[in-house]
Amino acid sequence: MFDVAVIGGGPGGYVAAIRSAQLGKKVAIIEKENFGGTCTNWGCIPTKAMLAASHLYDEINNKSKKFGLNIDNIDYDVKGIMKHMNKSITMSRKGVEFLMKKNNIEVLKGTAIVKDKNHIMIKETEEVVESSNIILAHGSVPVMFPPFSEVEGIWTSNDVFMMDELPESILIMGGGVIGVEFSTFFATLGKKVILVELFDHILPYEDVDVANEVKKSLKKKGVKILEKHKVLGVEKNDDSFITKVLDVEKNEEISFESSKVLMAVGRKPNIPQDLRDLGLEIEKGVVTDKTLKTNIDNIYAIGDLRAQIMLAHVASMEGIVAAHNIAGEIKTMDYSAVPSIIFSSPEVASTGLRESDVDLEKVIISKFPVSANGRARTMEEKDGFIKIIADKSSGKVLGVSAVSPNATDMIMEGVIAVKEGLTVDKLADMIHPHPTLTESFLGAIEGAEGKAIHL
């Protein structure tokens, strides 16, 4: 008999298992494939490993002479890039496996089938696991729907990670995070990319000025970006694809030929039939309260299965919150300062409110350009900005957006400011190290005070 049984060893599940063990619970975790979930095996880690390789290639190609470095005939080896990717995956996966042993968590391999609120059967062995509490962390799968699912050879993000050569050209459906990151990778390595987005602009959940900076960078790399365009259909030829695209504004059809087509319109929760049969409340995903409890008293659901904010770091925090509530504490999720990060070039990171969320007459919006930052100049970087949205009456920071080198690392200053309700004057009193990219945050903060020094 276990106190907690976790189904799924992704960033939500394994973190929930570890925290439950730390809180003195007897814990089992059931994983049918590899630890690390989508993030480690089919998402965050492999994508960032590939982008790290392409970014280094881009840096050497475009900056070496400016830095006085004589490097000629630079080339890349796709198999080498994929080897680096797979090594990164393996190391991350083994790290999680080690943590299971370290925390004395019972690891059960196989497909979990929830029989009732206290019993789980391992499909392959028919072993039955009994537990006082169950945490569901089933994750998500790539979205693929008709008529595209019926066309042989259309890629999802999973297929990209199994390639052994790069396509000469690729049409990517979806200009969100996944589409933009893969566009960055393929275009940086010199491949023809067509990026199709149905909404008004790529990265539709970010502000327009943020999306425009990324668009400008992608266009420099040769990416053809089609916004307000809808993919109508794809036909497979012998060695290429013909994609029909509708210009929504002009109501005109256009056709494009490409070596590959990638569907990158997002992911959907993985909800097997046993969860539906259990009587869980399900809408787009499994419904929970802010403690991550479902409508069944001792069953919790976390991560992508909830179909809310489908990010690995959110899943991890939800796992921690669920574990504490099972242990008898009262802990709830706060989604007010979730960091969103995109490994484009330059990187994008944001937290809190966007301009579309606020009454512009009641806020102060301050932007500081990367081009005015001393450290950025030493790096030969000039594209991007830091943007602060602050309440006009109180001075509290409501939102932060960053388009900048290392934006994904620097956003934590914004997360802390928004989460803790810090004011711009409090942030302005904090000494930022020089010369660093974080001084761009200080520049935006000073601008929100009306006291910009370096502009």
Side-chain angles (χ1 to χ4, degrees), residues 59-72:
E59 291 260 293
I60 296 171
N61 252 341
N62 294 310
K63 292 184 180 180
S64 56
K65 289 184 179 179
K66 295 176 182 178
F67 289 160
L69 304 175
N70 297 317
I71 302 172
D72 297 318

Side-chain angles (χ1 to χ4, degrees), residues 135-157:
I135 298 178
L136 308 174
H138 290 61
S140 61
V141 293
V143 170
M144 177 68 87
F145 49 82
F148 311 110
S149 56
E150 297 159 9
V151 181
E152 183 182 354
I154 290 184
W155 277 357
T156 67
S157 55

Side-chain angles (χ1 to χ4, degrees), residues 11 14 54 73 76 104 120 144 152 175 179-180 217 241 251 262 283 294 297 316 321 325 359 396 402 413 419:
Y14 84 74
S54 66
N73 302 318
Y76 60 84
N104 298 313
I120 305 164
M144 177 68 87
E152 183 182 354
V180 163
S217 172
F241 294 84
N251 196 31
L262 167 63
E283 292 177 358
T294 68
D297 197 46
S316 294
V321 168
N325 281 288
D359 182 343
K396 283 187 178 181
E413 179 169 348
K419 179 76 165 60

Side-chain angles (χ1 to χ4, degrees), residues 112-147:
I113 299 176
V114 183
K115 306 301 288 184
D116 58 43
K117 66 178 187 176
N118 294 112
H119 297 90
I120 305 164
M121 185 181 80
I122 309 299
K123 180 180 178 181
E124 291 79 1
T125 63
E126 297 188 353
E127 177 185 357
V128 175
V129 178
E130 186 176 2
S131 181
S132 300
N133 299 277
I134 297 173
I135 298 178
L136 308 174
H138 290 61
S140 61
V141 293
V143 170
M144 177 68 87
F145 49 82

Side-chain angles (χ1 to χ4, degrees), residues 417-434:
V418 174
K419 179 76 165 60
E420 297 301 318
L422 299 182
T423 58
V424 290
D425 61 323
K426 287 287 186 184
L427 290 172
D429 285 342
M430 297 179 184
I431 299 173
H432 287 65
H434 175 78

